[in-house]
Amino acid sequence: MKLLCAADLHLGRQPSRVPGRLSHLAPRLTPAEAWRRLVDLAVAEDVAAVLLAGDVVEDEHDFFEAYSDLRSGAERLADNGIQLVAIVGNHDVTVLPRLAQAMPTVRVLGIGGRWEAVSLERGGVTANVVGWSWPAAQVTTSPLGGLQDALQALAPAPTLGLLHCDLDQTRSVYAPVRRTELPGAVDAWLLGHVHKPSFAADAAGKWCGYLGSAFGADPGEEGPRGAWLLTVGDGGLTAEHVPLSPLLYDTVEVDVSHLAAPADVSAHVAGALEERCDALAGLGDRCPVAVGVRLRLVGSHELREEVEAHVAEEDPREGEFAFAGTSCFVHDVSFEVYPRVDVAAVAATDGPRALMARRLMLLDGPPCAERERLIGGARAAMLEAVRKGYKELDPPELTDDEVAATLRSAAAGLLARMMEMAP
């Protein structure tokens, strides 16, 4: 049995940083378009049900904004024998139940802050779905009370949990839940609220995590956004993330170190944007309509100032790009190009510059204990910064390569500035 699961659709939300020159695409750069793509996929895959983990609607006043799109999608699902099951999140506490009341094909579980279950069946396979809906715009205590009673009443079958919550937080107004408190009787916890996908299986084959937003609405939501195609069968549960958002935000890095002349940077940038869009063409009908790019110009160049001046004169943010049927726009440019420095020569000297140069050489060198200590210390500091400043976000998974790249960029910039200063 197949199920299509998504969260944080936010019907009615408007995307940010999309330039006015793409206004002709505005009707397609919406959560409603992501919803239509989701329905198309559900029908194409012949799923038994679509499960939505809260925040289906952006705002309590978006009844009419969401009504037509939600109803047409729900009716198309019903016409194809597909159930639509949702829970209420913090954004749609009153509006989603009102919409569901007007649409008999929409089933909302757990209205009023209680646990409720529904049984799904297709092709001789049965699955339970248990869900809880927000009773108010703020929930400061764990919503898990009453869950065990609901689980005990279920017939034996794979069980999925729909929950919109703040995972692994103790103090929060967004339904704080500890991962360790989630009952193991549930085979997969499909979570909403945090827009970055993190749904994954543990060593025991239990799935848990945020499904992520179905629509990428701003540059803070980089990367593929969409839904998860779950398959429930004798072999357990498998899941595949399917990109659906018509708007994709991404970062494209362009190294200008080997450019012969400053003016060459424009063609180099255009080529990098085309390459990024070409890589998306394989998604077919699910290819983004538009891609918003944070452009990072990196590297070192002996004509650094001339390169920077050329970028300012031919600003990529003003360009119009269309590749492989996808419109592309640059919303931010980060200039991280530095004068060329003979790192090895500087490292052979004494003083702070030499220490920084040696750190750079260490990062670019082979694995060793000192390099591991440097990266480990930086990773701890980066995670601590996230913990202090962004408590509502899941901590990032920082690989050695990612930490080293961050350190390398910072160290190269600092060394270049140190070299410009008087000794």
Side-chain angles (χ1 to χ4, degrees):
M1 176 171 57
K2 292 182 181 181
L3 304 168
L4 190 59
C5 311
D8 296 281
L9 187 59
H10 291 277
L11 289 169
R13 186 180 184 185
Q14 297 299 312
S16 66
R17 308 297 295 278
V18 179
R21 61 180 177 272
L22 295 185
S23 58
H24 62 290
L25 296 177
R28 300 178 64 195
L29 302 180
T30 63
E33 176 66 19
W35 170 239
R36 284 189 284 272
R37 290 178 171 208
L38 190 151
V39 172
D40 287 344
L41 179 63
V43 172
E45 291 288 341
D46 190 27
V47 303
V50 169
L51 309 180
L52 302 178
D55 282 1
V56 178
V57 183
E58 164 69 3
D59 188 83
E60 294 293 359
H61 303 293
D62 284 339
F63 182 94
F64 290 114
E65 183 80 22
Y67 181 86
S68 178
D69 293 309
L70 185 61
R71 185 182 185 103
S72 62
E75 290 180 344
R76 186 170 176 224
L77 291 173
D79 289 343
N80 285 273
I82 300 171
Q83 297 188 56
L84 176 56
V85 180
I87 58 170
V88 173
N90 56 296
H91 274 258
D92 48 18
V93 172
T94 62
V95 69
L96 185 57
R98 289 169 57 215
L99 285 164
Q101 191 173 21
M103 304 175 191
T105 58
V106 179
R107 172 76 180 272
V108 178
L109 294 180
I111 293 177
R114 59 190 176 86
W115 286 95
E116 185 180 6
V118 63
S119 180
L120 306 174
E121 193 276 332
R122 175 70 71 88
V125 178
T126 301
N128 299 316
V129 178
V130 60
W132 178 92
S133 286
W134 284 50
Q138 293 187 352
V139 175
T140 59
T141 58
S142 172
L144 297 182
L147 174 56
Q148 289 292 354
D149 292 339
L151 292 175
Q152 290 174 5
L154 297 176
T159 299
L160 312 177
L162 282 178
L163 184 59
H164 198 89
C165 68
D166 205 353
L167 188 62
D168 287 332
Q169 299 294 330
T170 54
R171 293 185 178 182
S172 172
V173 297
Y174 298 113
V177 171
R178 287 285 191 183
R179 188 185 301 263
T180 54
E181 298 171 345
L182 295 171
V186 175
D187 298 283
W189 280 102
L190 316 173
L191 306 182
H193 183 54
V194 172
H195 289 192
K196 182 179 179 180
S198 62
F199 189 59
D202 62 16
K206 298 287 186 178
W207 290 76
C208 180
Y210 289 106
L211 301 177
S213 54
F215 175 72
D218 62 59
E221 299 184 21
E222 282 196 358
R225 305 289 158 148
W228 291 81
L229 187 62
L230 270 61
T231 302
V232 181
D234 294 338
L237 188 150
T238 60
E240 173 192 1
H241 188 250
V242 184
L244 293 173
S245 178
L247 179 57
L248 171 69
Y249 288 95
D250 204 356
T251 293
V252 172
E253 182 178 298
V254 176
D255 191 336
V256 304
S257 300
H258 304 293
L259 298 183
D264 293 343
V265 68
S266 295
H268 206 51
V269 166
L273 297 179
E274 182 174 10
E275 182 179 353
R276 182 67 187 96
C277 290
D278 285 346
L280 298 168
L283 295 175
D285 293 340
R286 294 184 283 105
C287 183
V289 175
V291 176
V293 169
R294 176 181 285 108
L295 179 64
R296 292 184 63 228
L297 299 175
V298 302
S300 60
H301 203 285
E302 58 189 5
L303 300 176
R304 175 191 179 277
E305 292 183 359
E306 288 85 345
V307 173
E308 186 173 19
H310 181 80
V311 172
E313 183 177 344
E314 292 187 1
D315 192 339
R317 290 169 293 190
E318 303 298 325
E320 295 189 30
F321 309 95
F323 307 111
T326 297
S327 294
C328 183
F329 63 93
V330 176
H331 59 78
D332 277 311
V333 178
S334 174
F335 192 78
E336 303 169 37
V337 181
Y338 304 102
R340 285 185 176 151
V341 175
D342 188 337
V343 177
V346 176
T349 64
D350 296 318
R353 296 174 180 173
L355 180 61
M356 186 62 63
R358 291 170 197 149
R359 291 290 185 270
L360 265 173
M361 294 181 68
L362 188 65
L363 289 170
D364 291 328
C368 66
E370 189 176 356
R371 186 177 189 273
E372 290 179 5
R373 283 195 297 271
L374 180 63
I375 291 175
R379 179 186 290 107
M382 293 163 71
L383 291 175
E384 178 65 13
V386 171
R387 188 189 68 79
K388 288 183 176 180
Y390 304 93
K391 293 181 180 179
E392 296 182 5
L393 300 180
D394 278 349
E397 296 181 3
L398 298 173
T399 65
D400 284 0
D401 287 344
E402 290 170 335
V403 175
T406 300
L407 287 177
R408 188 180 297 109
S409 176
L414 182 56
L415 179 60
R417 288 191 289 271
M418 293 170 72
M419 297 301 295
E420 292 176 340
M421 298 170 61

